[in-house]
Amino acid sequence: MIRHIVLFKLKPEYTWADERVTEAERMAADVGKEVEDLLEWRAGRNISERAIAYDFAVMGLVRDEDALQRYLLHPFHQESAARWREISDWVIADLEE
């Protein structure tokens, strides 16, 4: 199993009041419904106000490396990632479980 984790930091010119941000948040939540290879999916806003904190996170679980590649290439995931790319910077980690 592989746990896929992405942390998003909004670019300084964007806030949660921006329609592009709330649309990206909605799409991220729906990735779990749209991508068949995801065994688990969580998405949500960070509640920490620490300066080093990221603003939003997604976590998914896939069976193996092949499933991870299918997830990454899935059209709905690609569209969601494109929206986040516009409004944020991010870091990822893929952990074996």
Side-chain angles (χ1 to χ4, degrees):
M1 299 286 206
I2 299 172
R3 176 78 56 192
H4 177 68
I5 303 166
V6 186
L7 303 175
F8 301 89
K9 182 79 145 178
L10 293 175
K11 292 179 180 177
E13 63 268 30
Y14 293 98
T15 69
W16 289 111
D18 190 304
E19 185 177 301
R20 290 169 288 190
V21 176
T22 55
E23 178 60 18
E25 178 182 29
R26 184 196 63 74
M27 283 197 78
D30 288 345
V31 168
K33 299 173 196 168
E34 298 291 332
V35 180
E36 305 81 19
D37 280 293
L38 287 165
L39 304 174
E40 293 178 9
W41 184 253
R42 291 196 172 121
R45 292 182 188 186
N46 179 31
I47 61 168
S48 174
E49 295 183 13
R50 291 176 284 174
I52 63 169
Y54 278 68
D55 299 303
F56 191 79
V58 298
M59 295 182 294
L61 183 66
V62 294
R63 197 163 304 287
D64 54 27
E65 190 69 37
D66 290 337
L68 180 62
Q69 290 307 311
R70 287 189 300 271
Y71 153 77
L72 293 172
L73 297 174
H74 191 283
F76 193 87
H77 169 260
Q78 288 288 311
E79 177 63 26
S80 178
R83 292 179 190 240
W84 281 101
R85 193 172 296 112
E86 176 188 346
I87 63 170
S88 69
D89 296 309
W90 69 72
V91 296
I92 69 145
D94 292 317
L95 312 174
E96 287 188 357
E97 289 195 3

